[in-house]
Structure formats: structure tokens, C-alpha cells
């Protein structure tokens, strides 16, 4: 079953403008399905080069001239280069293609931004459009007349996440098996390939520590002590995990308010299924003690996926003062501040007094009654 992604129309609108289209995203989020669907609608025949296949990888790596590249891509109107980060000097090769074959649209995908972004940034300056594809988004699944269905699926989403292959499975047992397989056989392995990381146990321990601290301020010193490595190693691994599209960071917002903290950060998972697989906890919400953390991670990750996925650079933060006034999520749009309180249960709080002292600051609560409207822009019934 194909679920239309919001990125589909955005990519289509940026084709055949003399630039390489680059789509980043973790493995199994649907990059190949997306770009092949787009290509099939644009061109009756298109080229597809899968760099996971050794013969394709070898041919591309050995192609040093534009003529050699022409022999590979042929005269196709559109060519997909899947898992392009595997190709050495891929940035220079893409530059040769776009400069010498301006009538051919190249779409490159990468399952991590480790090497691909570094490889293409300089050679393709001014020659590329870059997009990010994440696990499914709430506004890709539900319309305004489907609020009841969204409520029915919510518990499952908070436990098993929104990877397409997981979400479309029928039983909870199948979902648990699939997300564990994805975590161990794709995501971890991609991380271990880079920077000579050989200790998978350290990566797993760090992920487990981060999973248990979702929603809390994270200290690299404390993480280093828990995992048994240096603070620098923790910082390096967190950066790698972020570039592998497993986690993302929120920094604190201060805005020159003297009482606001300014050093620690919060770390969330892009997909809750991966988070729960890391700690091997697929218990139903009714018997969990981390529902509030799951809900906070879900809401913030949905906001994050929406903004970054479509290329918008809204700045997100959290906010807390030394006297424990808090805002779970801060959205900074050109100096106008939107504060969000994220509540699974209990009464909504009033805006913190210190928060409202900021100029142009506003305040909203996201709870189970209004989340569909707030996260999709559609009012639930």
C-alpha cells in the first residue's frame, strides 16, 4: 500500500531546473518507493542505479570522465542514484553529470548524511536541492474526517512508531518483530560503518541511556559516566546518531533572560518504535510508566519532521528557568515565540509568568483532544 508523502509534490515542483535533487533519510523510511513513484510519473522509462549492488557501485566509482558517466546513465530523461553515499567522490561525479547532461534530471538518495552531505556540499554548491524524508507523519495518514481513526491508532503509534513497513502491518507481534529487525539490521549497522566505530555495545548503551532520558535535560558528563566512555566520545556518538536520523537535539532558549538556563540540551528520537526497540519495551500504554515521555517525544518529533522535511528552518528549543518554570517546546519564527505545553493527562497549566515577559510570546497546550488539529492543521471532530 502506497501512502502519499508530503514531500512528493515538493520534489516534483523542483525537477528539471538544472539541479541535482538529493533526498536524505534513514533506511526503510520509503525513499526508494517515493523517488521511483515520482520517476514513473515523469518519464515512461527512467534509469535506476542501486549503489547497494556491487557491480553498480564499481562502475560508478571507476567512472572518472563525463563520457564514462554517459555510458552508465545513457540517454534517460531521469536517473535515480540510490544510496549514493556509497560512491567515492560522488559529489564530483554528480557535478560532471549536471554540467555535461543538463537535460537529464538526477535524483540521488542517501541513507545517512555522514558522507553524502560532506561529499556534495562543495562540488554541488548552487547545483542541488536537498530534502529530508522521515518516517510517516501524522498529516500523511489522517484527514480532518478521520479523527476517530486517528484516536484508535494513537496508542499503537506511540509504541511501534511510524516506519512505513511497521505501520502497515496488522498485528502487534508483527510490528514488534519488524521494528526490532530494522533497528538491529539497518540503523545500528549504518552507524558502525563510520568513524571506525567497532564497539556496538557502547552505541547500544548510549541509545538506551538516551531512551530513558527522553524529555529530560541531558548532560554529556553524566552520559559518559553511565556508558563508561569519555565526554568527547559521547558528543561524537550523539552527532553520529543524529546524522543517521535516529535522534535529534533541542537546545535551550534563553533570549537573554537571566533566569533561563543555557547549557544543557534535550534529545528525542525521530521514531518511537526505534526508541522502544532500544529498551525492548513494547508494553501497552495502560501498564507503562513512561507515557508522558512518549507523548512529549511524539508531539515534538511530529513538529520537527514537518518543518525540516519540507525544508523550513523554523528554530525549535525548550525553555526552563532556574526556578523551574518550563516550556516543553519553543518555536521561534522571526522573533515571534510560540510556547507549547505538551500534556498527556491532567489539567492544563497557565503560561509561566517569566515566559510571558518575552515580547511577542504566546502559549498553547497540545493534548489528546486537540493534537490532530495542532499537528496536521486540521480540526478533529
Amino acid at each position: 500500500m502506497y501512502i502519499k508523502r508530503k514531500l512528493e509534490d515538493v520534489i516534483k515542483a523542483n525537477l528539471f531546473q538544472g539541479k541535482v535533487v538529493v533526498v536524505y533519510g534513514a533506511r526503510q523510511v520509503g525513499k526508494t518507493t517515493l523517488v521511483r513513484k515520482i520517476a514513473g510519473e515523469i518519464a515512461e522509462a527512467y534509469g535506476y542505479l542501486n549503489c547497494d549492488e556491487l557491480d553498480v557501485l564499481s562502475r560508478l566509482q571507476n567512472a572518472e570522465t563525463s563520457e564514462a558517466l554517459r555510458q552508465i546513465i545513457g540517454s534517460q530523461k531521469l536517473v535515480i542514484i540510490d544510496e549514493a553515499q556509497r560512491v567515492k567522490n560522488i559529489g564530483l561525479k554528480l557535478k560532471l553529470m549536471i554540467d555535461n547532461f543538463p537535460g537529464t534530471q538526477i535524483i540521488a538518495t542517501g541513507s545517512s548524511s555522514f558522507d553524502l552531505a560532506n561529499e556534495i556540499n562543495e562540488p554541488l554548491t548552487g547545483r542541488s536541492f536537498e530534502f529530508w524524508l522521515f518516517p510517516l507523519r501524522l498529516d500523511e495518514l489522517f484527514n480532518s474526517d478521520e479523527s476517530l481513526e486517528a484516536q484508535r491508532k494513537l496508542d499503537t503509534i506511540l509504541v511501534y512508531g511510524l516506519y512505513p513497513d511497521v505501520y502497515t502491518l496488522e498485528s502487534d507481534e508483527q510490528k514488534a518483530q519488524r521494528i526490532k529487525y530494522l533497528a538491529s539490521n539497518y540503523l545500528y549497522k549504518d552507524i558502525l560503518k563510520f568513524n571506525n566505530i567497532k564497539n556496538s555495545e557502547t552505541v547500544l548503551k548510549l541509545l538506551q541511556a538516551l531512551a530513558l532520558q527522553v524529555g529530560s535535560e541531558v548532560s554529556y558528563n553524566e552520559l559518559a559516566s553511565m556508558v563508561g566512555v569519555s565526554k568527547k566520545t559521547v558528543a561524537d556518538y550523539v552527532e553520529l546518531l543524529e546524522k543517521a536520523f535516529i535522534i535529534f537535539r533541542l537546545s535551550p532558549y534563553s533570549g537573554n533572560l537571566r533566569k533561563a538556563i543555557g547549557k544543557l540540551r534535550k534529545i528525542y528520537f525521530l521514531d518511537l518504535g526505534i526508541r522502544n526497540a532500544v529498551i525492548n519495551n513494547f508494553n501497552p500504554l495502560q501498564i507503562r510508566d513512561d507515557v508522558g515521555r512518549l507523548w512529549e517525544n511524539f508531539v515534538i518529533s511530529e513538529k520537527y519532521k514537518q518543518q525540516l522535511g519540507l525544508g523550513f528552518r523554523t528554530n525549535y528549543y525548550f525553555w526552563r528557568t532556574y526556578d523551574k518554570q518550563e516550556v516543553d517546546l519553543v518555536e521561534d519564527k522571526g522573533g515571534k515565540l510560540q510556547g507549547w505545553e505538551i500534556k498527556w493527562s491532567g489539567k492544563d497549566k497557565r503560561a509561566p509568568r517569566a515566559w510571558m515577559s518575552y515580547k511577542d510570546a504566546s502559549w498553547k497546550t497540545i493534548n489528546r483532544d486537540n493534537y490532530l488539529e495542532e499537528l496536521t492543521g486540521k480540526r478533529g471532530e
Side-chain angles (χ1 to χ4, degrees), residues 206 220-221 223-224 229-242 247 249 265 267:
L206 178 59
Y220 284 178
N221 283 324
L223 287 173
V229 295
S230 69
K231 177 183 176 181
K232 182 181 184 304
T233 298
V234 167
D236 290 344
Y237 278 24
V238 166
E239 183 177 4
L240 290 174
L241 290 167
E242 191 165 26
I247 62 173
R249 290 175 281 185
R265 77 284 298 159
I267 295 177

Side-chain angles (χ1 to χ4, degrees), residues 23-271:
V23 182
Y24 296 108
R27 290 183 181 271
Q28 302 297 304
V29 296
K31 298 187 306 299
T32 302
T33 300
L34 172 65
V35 297
R36 295 196 75 159
K37 182 177 185 297
I38 292 171
E41 294 178 355
I42 297 297
E44 291 184 3
Y46 61 89
Y48 177 71
L49 301 170
N50 183 357
C51 299
D52 278 337
E53 297 181 4
L54 294 181
D55 58 335
V56 173
L57 178 61
S58 177
R59 289 184 68 196
L60 280 171
Q61 288 191 156
N62 292 327
E64 301 293 344
T65 65
S66 59
E67 181 57 32
L69 290 168
R70 168 59 81 188
Q71 293 298 315
I72 296 174
I73 69 174
S75 58
Q76 304 288 356
K77 182 179 180 181
L78 188 150
V79 175
I80 297 168
I81 303 177
D82 218 353
E83 300 301 336
Q85 80 278 354
R86 292 184 173 276
V87 181
K88 187 177 180 181
N89 295 323
I90 184 61
L92 291 174
K93 297 179 192 298
L94 291 173
K95 180 180 181 296
L96 282 174
M97 292 179 194
I98 204 70
D99 288 349
N100 289 280
F101 320 127
T104 299
Q105 174 65 60
I106 305 295
I107 301 178
T109 77
S111 62
S112 71
S113 57
F114 292 109
D115 280 349
L116 186 54
N118 292 334
E119 284 275 356
I120 70 175
N121 278 344
E122 186 173 342
L124 289 185
T125 300
R127 293 180 172 89
S128 67
F129 294 127
E130 298 182 359
F131 304 99
W132 287 259
L133 186 68
F134 299 110
L136 293 167
R137 290 167 29 183
L138 201 66
D139 60 355
E140 294 171 334
L141 296 171
F142 302 108
N143 296 316
S144 58
D145 59 350
E146 296 176 313
S147 57
L148 179 58
E149 183 66 15
Q151 291 288 358
R152 288 172 174 170
K153 293 286 184 67
L154 183 58
D155 287 12
T156 299
I157 290 171
L158 293 181
V159 174
Y160 301 105
L162 285 170
Y163 269 78
D165 282 355
V166 176
Y167 179 78
T168 54
L169 291 171
E170 293 295 329
S171 73
D172 289 350
E173 183 179 358
Q174 289 176 314
K175 291 176 187 289
Q177 289 176 349
R178 183 61 181 166
I179 194 63
K180 286 192 287 187
Y181 177 81
L182 290 180
S184 61
N185 286 278
Y186 287 104
L187 302 184
Y188 297 164
K189 288 183 178 179
D190 274 349
I191 297 166
L192 297 175
K193 291 175 184 174
F194 296 92
N195 286 22
N196 297 316
I197 295 177
K198 298 178 181 178
N199 193 341
S200 59
E201 184 179 355
T202 299
V203 174
L204 180 58
K205 283 183 178 179
L206 178 59
L207 280 168
Q208 289 172 335
L210 293 172
L212 295 173
Q213 294 190 41
V214 162
S216 299
E217 294 149 40
V218 171
S219 162
Y220 284 178
N221 283 324
E222 291 181 11
L223 287 173
S225 178
M226 292 170 63
V227 178
V229 295
S230 69
K231 177 183 176 181
K232 182 181 184 304
T233 298
V234 167
D236 290 344
Y237 278 24
V238 166
E239 183 177 4
L240 290 174
L241 290 167
E242 191 165 26
K243 289 181 177 178
F245 308 109
I246 296 176
I247 62 173
F248 63 97
R249 290 175 281 185
L250 284 189
S251 299
Y253 182 83
S254 62
N256 297 321
L257 185 66
R258 187 166 58 183
K259 292 182 178 180
I261 62 171
K263 292 183 179 180
L264 300 181
R265 77 284 298 159
K266 290 188 177 184
I267 295 177
Y268 297 92
F269 283 71
L270 271 165
D271 184 76

Side-chain angles (χ1 to χ4, degrees), residues 282-335:
F282 297 105
N283 290 331
L285 298 188
Q286 294 84 348
I287 60 172
R288 298 182 72 120
D289 61 2
D290 59 353
V291 178
R293 293 176 183 269
L294 293 176
W295 181 240
E296 181 175 331
N297 195 134
F298 170 68
V299 170
I300 293 175
S301 66
E302 284 297 307
K303 287 282 189 182
Y304 182 87
K305 288 187 293 185
Q306 288 175 18
Q307 293 299 318
L308 185 57
L310 296 181
F312 303 136
R313 297 291 184 170
T314 296
N315 293 315
Y316 283 123
Y317 307 91
F318 72 95
W319 179 86
R320 186 175 72 83
T321 64
Y322 287 107
D323 56 359
K324 297 184 179 181
Q325 298 183 66
E326 299 182 48
V327 177
D328 296 322
L329 181 65
V330 174
E331 187 175 11
D332 182 357
K333 286 187 175 182

